[in-house]
Amino acid sequence: MPREHQEPRAFTRRGVLKSGAALVASATIAGHLPVAQVAAQTLPRNETLNIAGFQWGPPTTFNPINASPTWPATGSPQLIYQSLFGYNILDGSLQPMLARNLATPDASTMVVTMQEGTKWQDGQPLTADDVVYTYTLPQRVQGLSFSTLFDYITKIEATDAKSITLTLNSEQPNPGMIKNYLATIMILPKHIWEAREKDPKGITNVVDTAPVGSGPYKVQAFSPERIALVRDDTYWGNTALGKPAPKYVVHPIFKAADGGNIALQRGEVDWSQQFAPQIWEMWEKQKSPVGTWLKEPPYYIPGSIPLMFINVQKKPLDNPKVRQALAYAINYPQIAETAMSRYSVPANASLIIPTGGESKFFEADKVKASGWTYDPDKAQQILEEELGAKKQNGVYTLPDGTKIGPFKAQCPYGWTDWMTALQLVSQNAKAAGIDISTDFPEAPIVTTAVQTGNFDFVLWYVTGASPASPWARYRDVLDNRGVPKVGEKAFWNYNRYNNPKVPDLLDQAAAAAEADQKALFAQLDEIYRQDIPVIPLMYRPDEFYEFNESTWTGFPTDAHPSGGAPMFKGAGVFNLNALKPKAG
């Protein structure tokens, strides 16, 4: 299963930036309002939705295929650029967006039928040719985030103006990954972007300050202080998908998370996506009309599993029993309560998120039977009785003289929830006789260490909830195919773990019908629990869905879902249709 070594887009830690982090100054871009004018411009409050937590620096380019585009050209929020389908994290389903239907006439073919009346914001029709143009960009442009698309398909063609046929790669069948692309690739207008392929700087470096998309909003103005969008009332999807209620969507750009959290509490921000410690105090103590998807812990829907990667190439961490002892030594309920501020249930011994679209694959009985929980006595028993280790000066030494430590556990400085989690791991490990200390360098240093395999322990992220999960997460953790040796950059399987049973099971699961995938994922999970190359420490939302109803009401919640999902990314744009300005 060859795959291009594709570096993922820059990962933004939402809402855990260092307090006081300075914004980089940027010049006003021609064609837009000067900074002072934008900052002073007042929009009708009852027509304006203020959101926070998606953009932490000055706007640069709304080019969606740039490595670090400005919101909302990143993260598939569907406001300007749209994908063929959205993704609903609640049940794992695809939702119609530019496309209305996906058919699979046979095992090697997928047919997408587009919505009627799709058009670009400049009035040009949006057709299947635009889709094919966008999807085939990796054949002409290097380094795109969806460059691996053609690992899974061999051909894409427009069979008519509203139909696209994808031919699956019979040597690497993986419908889930293809569905993931259908829900994440932002469609570009061919009549604009085809000429940009000739740009000497490269199409990915085009500075696009006036994007032409197919979504319900256009860029009205932007500055280092904020981004303002205005509704396109000629939006093609008003009938098919619904008309968003806010006329304006404004994203103030805060210097740090504290500013955004205060603005949310005060009602100056209506919808936020950032880590707010003890958010329940906003409505219990401050009596603010703030809400989350769930009214009780964990308040949010999990979308990822931060994993502590273990260097399985290094003695004595190459011994699964040592890793198992550590797994039993970690206080997962404490991490959920403190590091995650009650926003997570205790992590399970599984690579499957137990709720949402992946819940159908999660087998709690098997996880309990062969997994681990916080049990210091069990950790001691493994170390002393099964490994024959002896404690000297508070640290265990194996019979061959190898000490279980000292080791370092890393994550980037400023990623406060992760830093707290690793501090707890260190305390738990030392109490169990395993010598682990913490180390928090700047993010670029940690990224390099992760990719080159130069670490003892590192808390890092892998694929979150998507149409391809949990398969993609098993691939990221367990698949050693195409992974370079230690010292060279890897973009999955960072600790170079290897089990010969994994590749065939992964390939079977990728090609299997959903009804057959559960048993295959169960086998992969058993291998994972047997070898323990990573340890889940918590569950984390893909977005911290938070709202204040001082100005707008109708935000979807678990009690009143209104057809929405607790996030902007993918399908969350539907939430805007249900909003109403608060009376009075």
Side-chain angles (χ1 to χ4, degrees):
M1 184 184 291
R3 288 197 307 277
E4 177 183 337
H5 289 190
Q6 175 64 42
E7 185 165 6
R9 290 188 175 197
F11 183 79
T12 302
R13 289 284 297 160
R14 306 175 180 96
V16 293
L17 299 181
K18 290 180 288 185
S19 180
L23 285 174
V24 179
S26 70
T28 302
I29 300 177
H32 289 268
L33 297 174
V35 171
Q37 188 175 345
V38 171
Q41 185 183 30
T42 300
L43 300 174
R45 187 64 180 94
N46 66 346
E47 295 183 291
T48 304
L49 182 78
N50 291 331
I51 71 171
F54 296 95
Q55 181 75 21
W56 293 97
T60 54
T61 177
F62 297 95
N63 178 348
I65 58 173
N66 181 268
S68 299
T70 295
W71 179 90
T74 185
S76 58
Q78 313 289 341
L79 298 181
I80 294 178
Y81 289 103
Q82 296 178 295
S83 52
L84 291 173
F85 293 92
Y87 172 69
N88 191 326
I89 196 172
L90 297 174
D91 59 13
S93 66
L94 292 180
Q95 291 190 315
M97 197 65 65
L98 287 171
R100 61 180 173 85
N101 184 56
L102 173 64
T104 307
D106 55 62
S108 62
T109 309
M110 286 184 175
V111 178
V112 174
T113 304
M114 298 183 66
Q115 303 267 20
E116 293 298 324
T118 53
K119 67 176 182 177
W120 298 106
Q121 292 168 345
D122 62 4
Q124 293 288 322
L126 191 164
T127 71
D129 285 339
D130 294 296
V131 177
V132 173
Y133 167 77
T134 304
Y135 275 54
T136 56
L137 270 174
Q139 296 179 329
R140 305 181 298 277
V141 178
Q142 297 295 314
L144 297 182
S145 63
F146 55 99
S147 292
T148 51
L149 168 65
F150 281 88
D151 287 349
Y152 305 107
I153 67 171
T154 58
K155 185 170 61 173
I156 178 170
E157 57 185 341
T159 46
D160 59 47
K162 291 295 179 183
S163 302
I164 303 104
T165 299
L166 298 93
T167 303
L168 281 60
N169 182 354
S170 60
E171 296 182 359
Q172 198 169 324
N174 196 326
M177 281 299 293
I178 296 173
K179 290 178 181 178
N180 185 56
Y181 291 119
L182 295 176
T184 55
I185 297 176
M186 300 290 102
I187 307 304
L188 301 175
K190 179 180 178 181
H191 66 280
I192 293 175
W193 286 85
E194 194 170 37
R196 291 177 173 176
E197 288 190 57
K198 301 174 184 177
D199 192 298
K201 300 186 299 293
I203 190 173
T204 59
N205 296 317
V206 168
V207 176
D208 189 1
T209 61
V212 175
S214 59
Y217 288 91
K218 297 180 179 181
V219 173
Q220 183 196 43
F222 60 88
S223 76
E225 286 75 34
R226 71 176 192 169
I227 301 164
L229 310 180
V230 61
R231 189 177 61 205
D232 178 8
D233 287 335
T234 66
Y235 172 48
W236 71 268
N238 283 338
T239 300
L241 303 177
K243 183 178 181 179
K247 183 174 181 179
Y248 305 98
V249 174
V250 174
H251 191 310
I253 300 172
F254 294 98
K255 293 182 178 181
D258 289 349
N261 291 336
I262 292 171
L264 173 68
Q265 181 182 317
R266 292 175 176 172
E268 296 162 4
V269 161
D270 306 304
W271 181 334
S272 180
Q273 189 299 115
Q274 58 184 46
F275 186 87
Q278 300 178 336
I279 193 168
W280 61 88
E281 292 188 352
M282 291 190 187
W283 60 79
E284 289 182 0
K285 291 186 177 182
Q286 281 75 38
K287 307 302 180 183
S288 297
V290 170
T292 50
W293 181 258
L294 301 169
K295 196 63 176 178
E296 304 293 334
Y299 300 106
Y300 305 94
I301 297 296
S304 65
I305 313 177
L307 302 172
M308 187 171 72
F309 278 80
I310 305 170
N311 189 336
V312 297
Q313 311 301 323
K314 182 175 184 176
K315 287 185 175 297
L317 302 178
D318 60 341
N319 188 328
K321 282 295 179 181
V322 172
R323 306 196 292 266
Q324 185 184 50
L326 175 60
Y328 275 106
I330 296 172
N331 191 333
Y332 306 100
Q334 188 181 26
I335 290 174
E337 174 74 18
T338 57
M340 277 303 292
S341 199
R342 301 184 193 173
Y343 302 158
S344 172
V345 298
N348 292 281
S350 173
L351 293 181
I352 299 174
I353 296 174
T355 58
E358 296 179 34
S359 61
K360 56 182 172 285
F361 301 120
F362 185 79
E363 298 189 71
D365 292 344
K366 291 183 179 179
V367 172
K368 183 178 180 179
S370 61
W372 54 83
T373 56
Y374 175 51
D375 189 343
D377 292 338
K378 179 67 174 178
Q380 181 181 3
Q381 183 241 318
I382 294 169
L383 290 166
E384 295 183 356
E385 299 179 18
E386 299 186 39
L387 289 172
K390 303 293 183 182
K391 188 179 283 188
Q392 299 175 350
N393 298 321
V395 179
Y396 278 104
T397 299
L398 296 173
D400 65 359
T402 303
K403 287 187 175 182
I404 309 182
F407 305 115
K408 289 183 178 180
Q410 295 182 318
C411 77
Y413 180 76
W415 296 18
T416 52
D417 48 344
W418 287 17
M419 291 168 63
T420 302
L422 288 184
Q423 287 165 345
L424 293 173
V425 167
S426 174
Q427 294 170 15
N428 299 157
K430 287 179 178 178
I434 300 172
D435 187 4
I436 299 176
S437 59
T438 57
D439 183 29
F440 304 130
E442 295 297 325
I445 296 174
V446 181
T447 300
T448 298
V450 170
Q451 294 174 346
T452 59
N454 182 25
F455 57 83
D456 299 328
F457 299 91
V458 64
L459 185 55
W460 208 240
Y461 52 90
V462 295
T463 300
S466 77
S469 61
W471 180 89
R473 194 174 303 116
Y474 284 111
R475 175 204 60 186
D476 288 354
V477 173
L478 304 179
D479 194 358
N480 73 318
R481 290 171 292 180
V483 179
K485 64 182 180 180
V486 172
E488 298 178 8
K489 281 188 175 184
F491 302 106
W492 65 95
N493 193 349
Y494 302 110
N495 50 4
R496 279 68 173 178
Y497 162 82
N498 181 26
N499 184 310
K501 297 179 182 178
V502 165
D504 183 57
L505 284 171
L506 272 174
D507 290 350
Q508 289 184 57
E514 185 177 292
D516 300 320
Q517 285 182 320
K518 186 172 184 176
L520 293 165
F521 288 143
Q523 292 181 64
L524 287 165
D525 229 26
E526 285 296 328
I527 290 172
Y528 159 69
R529 282 190 289 273
Q530 168 191 304
D531 291 351
I532 320 178
V534 301
I535 299 177
L537 295 187
M538 66 189 83
Y539 302 104
R540 201 170 194 276
D542 205 15
E543 293 180 12
F544 285 94
Y545 174 75
E546 305 148 351
F547 56 85
N548 184 308
E549 293 191 300
S550 295
T551 302
W552 293 91
T553 62
F555 292 93
T557 65
D558 180 56
H560 303 285
S562 304
M567 58 195 305
F568 250 114
K569 181 181 177 182
V573 69
F574 292 114
N575 293 338
L576 301 187
N577 301 343
L579 299 184
K580 294 180 180 179
K582 190 172 182 178

